Amino acid sequence: MIIMTRKLVAENWRLEKARYALVGNFCKKCLGYHFPKKQLCLRCKTSEHLEEYKFKHEGKLLEWTKIYDPAKGFDFAGPYYYCIVELEEGIKITTQLKYVTDEGRLKYGMKVKLVFRRLFSHGNEGLNTYGFKAVPVY
Amino acid sequence: MANPILDKVAIVGYEMTDFGDLYEMGIADMSNMAINGALRKAGVDSNEVDALYVGNAGSGQFLGQEHLGCLIASESGIYTNATSIEASGASGTAAMRIVTHGILSGYMERVVVVGVEKMTSLNKSADTQEALATSLDTIWESSMGATLPGNFALMAKAHMREYGTTREQMAQVAVKNHDHARLNPRAQFSNKLRIESVLNSKVLADPINIFEGCAASDGAAAIVMMAPDVAESYDSEPVFLRQSHQTHDYLSLQQRPNLHELRSVRKGAEMGYKKLNITAKDISFAEVHDVYTIAEILAIEALGLVAPGEGGKATEEGKTSLNGEIPVNTSGGLKARGYPIGASGVAQVIEIMDQFKGNAGERQLKDIEWGLAQSLGGAGGTSVVSFFSR
């Protein structure tokens, strides 16, 4: 009964570049970065000065939590870490944090890199959707 | 011409169903009971109703039912225009606020607002979490693994890091709200909650445990709103909605500059205080959106009821308890009165009505002047802050 955007094939294909390669855009006029990509710069209100920009796959870890009660589609692999990462360009994203061998070593502001992983699945009939996740750099 | 900023709207009749697992009733049944109960108490005939506004957050998700305005009007015997308003957890108060526009412009005189949700038909936690997560950014939060408690957990960690707020202080919000709910016959939970039980309950998203959040709940709550001159013939001492401000922050947490405050709530509260020429010190009591315990702490700080960073400490010291300086969630709050999402904002207003009308029984407050209701959509993207007085 519940139809979510993230199950829809067309929606997922539309997001492919952003999810797979972290492509957003950069406004040459206001020097602002956008992720996800905007059709018009939110400040300049025009597309005239926008160019595609591929974000660096590095940043720092801000807040994180461990989710024990996941939503459907995320219940295939037990509890997982979920976090906010600030990319080198200053843009923040939310994602999962993988390969946490020792939570005690996680620190606010520590370096993380982004890797390509499966984000979620919807059983045998649904899509597997892939995208970026963060990994701590100790 | 009426000035929607300065003028006021009367609330006359009000009624709500019990909150909880109402297995015997569908979404239209609950609405019917609340709507017609409120009309009966107000002494208004259903033919006199100019409009019906429904506040609902997720009937499409929980029940596969949209077009609620028409459904609920049909099933409640209200044959007038009916519209459903969705703003996640703030749906009920957003609907109430929109009605003030119609009444203050002179276009409507008697309007019913019903908030309603039917959540208990989903039987798996993962399905409920999926439905709740649609109030976040579906693509860039929920698809990345976010859940509603997960987002509040990030805010809790930010608050703990910034101000040293403790797990015990957060848990105390749940303990206090259960204590209040014990005095409210309509509450979903009337059990005493011990702080150890909260701290030892199952983790939803670290540091938020299951007893710090709300259970799935069904329920409906309705109010009848009128122009003040019309209200005179129905109630010689009506309660008035004096200000209501809907404000926003970025939908997704990653876009916000910080997570240890609810900027949307602060903005709405400041607008209200300024227009009414009062301060937070004038507020006698408040119903706030304690969807998770941290949300109440963030709310009382953003409303200015306590200083930034002092929310946890104030709760621990009993300042927000029934007999404290500023009683918060005398109804039991979302936590213990129950949180049928779309109904909860209207239920907050009903608690405020009960307090002003002297109908609050054992939890009755004395010498109250200003009541405040605050509700949130999602993880704070939408906020509605409303001020009430006699």
Side-chain angles (χ1 to χ4, degrees):
Chain A
M1 187 175 292
I2 300 173
I3 299 173
M4 286 193 44
T5 306
R6 60 185 164 85
K7 288 183 196 167
L8 304 175
V9 176
E11 283 292 304
N12 280 289
W13 276 97
R14 181 172 67 76
L15 300 167
E16 188 186 37
K17 269 181 159 178
R19 279 206 174 123
Y20 290 8
L22 222 58
V23 172
N25 46 18
F26 175 70
C27 178
K28 286 182 285 184
K29 188 173 176 212
C30 70
L31 307 181
Y33 291 97
H34 295 293
F35 186 85
K37 182 173 92 170
K38 301 288 179 284
Q39 298 298 322
L40 301 175
C41 175
L42 298 187
R43 284 173 287 269
C44 308
K45 315 292 182 198
T46 169
S47 61
E48 206 180 325
H49 314 288
L50 287 175
E51 59 182 28
E52 257 190 17
Y53 178 81
K54 189 175 166 187
F55 284 83
K56 292 188 190 121
H57 283 43
E58 285 173 0
K60 59 184 182 183
L61 176 66
L62 302 182
E63 308 296 346
W64 72 89
T65 177
K66 192 172 186 181
I67 294 181
Y68 290 80
D69 192 27
K72 195 171 173 184
F74 293 88
D75 40 2
F76 57 87
Y80 56 89
Y81 289 92
Y82 176 70
C83 66
I84 297 184
V85 169
E86 184 175 331
L87 299 176
E88 281 200 359
E89 291 86 348
I91 287 286
K92 287 183 279 186
I93 56 170
T94 42
T95 186
Q96 293 179 40
L97 186 63
K98 299 302 284 182
Y99 306 119
V100 180
T101 47
D102 179 3
E103 189 175 347
R105 293 177 69 194
L106 295 180
K107 284 195 176 61
Y108 183 91
M110 79 183 289
K111 196 174 166 191
V112 292
K113 62 178 181 179
L114 297 181
V115 295
F116 184 76
R117 286 293 178 277
R118 183 170 61 155
L119 291 179
F120 56 89
S121 62
H122 277 281
N124 295 331
E125 303 134 44
L127 290 176
N128 281 333
T129 298
Y130 297 85
F132 53 82
K133 291 185 183 178
V135 175
V137 180
Y138 295 114
Chain B
M1 188 181 154
N3 181 342
I5 301 295
L6 296 175
D7 284 5
K8 56 191 184 182
V9 172
I11 298 171
V12 180
Y14 58 97
E15 182 61 286
M16 62 186 276
T17 64
D18 289 343
F19 280 5
D21 185 351
L22 308 183
Y23 174 73
E24 300 290 339
M25 284 194 281
I27 195 162
D29 300 323
M30 298 185 291
S31 305
N32 182 8
M33 284 185 66
I35 291 169
N36 285 298
L39 286 172
R40 191 163 51 243
K41 281 190 177 172
V44 175
D45 191 89
S46 58
N47 296 324
E48 297 175 296
V49 174
D50 292 321
L52 169 69
Y53 281 80
V54 177
N56 175 265
S59 64
Q61 297 294 324
F62 290 110
L63 302 167
Q65 175 70 59
E66 302 284 12
H67 205 182
L68 269 194
C70 185
L71 173 79
I72 289 174
S74 308
E75 298 297 314
S76 304
I78 306 272
Y79 306 105
T80 180
N81 68 86
T83 309
S84 181
I85 305 288
E86 189 275 316
S88 180
S91 299
T93 41
M96 173 185 76
R97 186 176 169 277
I98 284 169
V99 169
T100 62
H101 301 171
I103 289 178
L104 292 170
S105 67
Y107 183 64
M108 299 168 179
E109 290 187 340
R110 299 168 196 83
V111 183
V112 181
V113 178
V114 62
V116 65
E117 206 75 54
K118 175 87 186 165
M119 298 170 72
T120 62
S121 298
L122 294 183
N123 55 10
K124 283 189 192 145
S125 167
D127 289 338
T128 304
Q129 289 296 359
E130 186 181 29
L132 293 175
T134 59
S135 68
L136 312 175
D137 182 331
T138 297
I139 294 171
W140 294 108
E141 292 187 298
S142 312
S143 290
M144 305 306 288
T147 60
L148 189 64
N151 271 20
F152 276 96
L154 295 176
M155 295 160 87
K157 295 210 38 183
H159 203 269
M160 292 165 91
R161 205 167 43 73
E162 184 77 17
Y163 297 119
T165 300
T166 65
R167 296 287 316 279
E168 288 74 15
Q169 289 171 342
M170 290 193 277
Q172 188 57 36
V173 172
V175 172
K176 182 224 11 147
N177 288 345
H178 270 249
D179 284 345
H180 292 178
R182 287 161 67 80
L183 308 174
N184 183 355
R186 285 264 160 74
Q188 182 169 9
F189 296 109
S190 55
N191 60 307
K192 170 94 184 152
L193 194 59
R194 291 179 308 119
I195 197 160
E196 302 78 37
S197 311
V198 181
L199 293 170
N200 295 327
S201 62
K202 190 181 114 177
V203 187
L204 292 179
D206 168 46
I208 293 178
N209 289 2
I210 195 162
F211 284 178
E212 292 182 89
C214 307
S217 186
D218 307 330
I223 53 175
V224 181
M225 300 175 71
M226 294 184 190
D229 55 326
V230 178
E232 277 172 20
S233 56
Y234 294 91
D235 184 349
S236 56
E237 291 179 327
V239 176
F240 295 103
L241 170 60
R242 298 287 302 275
Q243 285 280 304
S244 184
H245 291 276
Q246 183 170 337
T247 47
H248 298 276
D249 200 340
Y250 293 108
L251 176 63
S252 55
L253 294 191
Q254 72 263 25
Q255 288 177 283
R256 301 184 195 169
N258 58 57
L259 299 183
H260 60 264
E261 63 169 340
L262 288 172
R263 297 193 309 165
S264 53
V265 179
R266 179 172 300 282
K267 205 165 22 170
E270 283 172 358
M271 286 160 81
Y273 293 139
K274 196 173 165 201
K275 294 284 181 198
L276 293 166
N277 201 20
I278 61 172
T279 70
K281 289 203 173 17
D282 295 306
I283 301 298
S284 316
F285 67 110
E287 285 287 302
V288 310
H289 193 92
D290 57 324
V291 56
Y292 298 99
T293 51
I294 185 63
E296 177 165 321
I297 291 172
L298 291 165
I300 58 178
E301 292 177 9
L303 294 168
L305 302 177
V306 301
E310 297 288 314
K313 196 163 152 257
T315 306
E316 203 166 44
E317 290 170 354
K319 285 186 183 164
T320 54
S321 299
L322 197 55
N323 301 316
E325 283 168 36
I326 169 76
V328 172
N329 283 331
T330 52
S331 66
L334 278 54
K335 170 70 187 88
R337 180 200 57 225
Y339 182 41
I341 311 173
S344 72
V346 181
Q348 290 179 327
V349 177
I350 287 181
E351 176 65 11
I352 285 170
M353 294 299 294
D354 266 344
Q355 291 289 354
F356 275 121
K357 289 288 185 186
N359 294 335
E362 287 183 77
R363 59 185 199 288
Q364 183 65 51
L365 301 169
K366 291 192 187 96
D367 304 324
I368 49 178
E369 192 181 354
W370 287 98
L372 184 153
Q374 170 262 337
S375 45
L376 278 189
T382 296
S383 160
V384 179
V385 178
S386 309
F387 298 79
F388 301 83
S389 74
R390 284 197 183 95

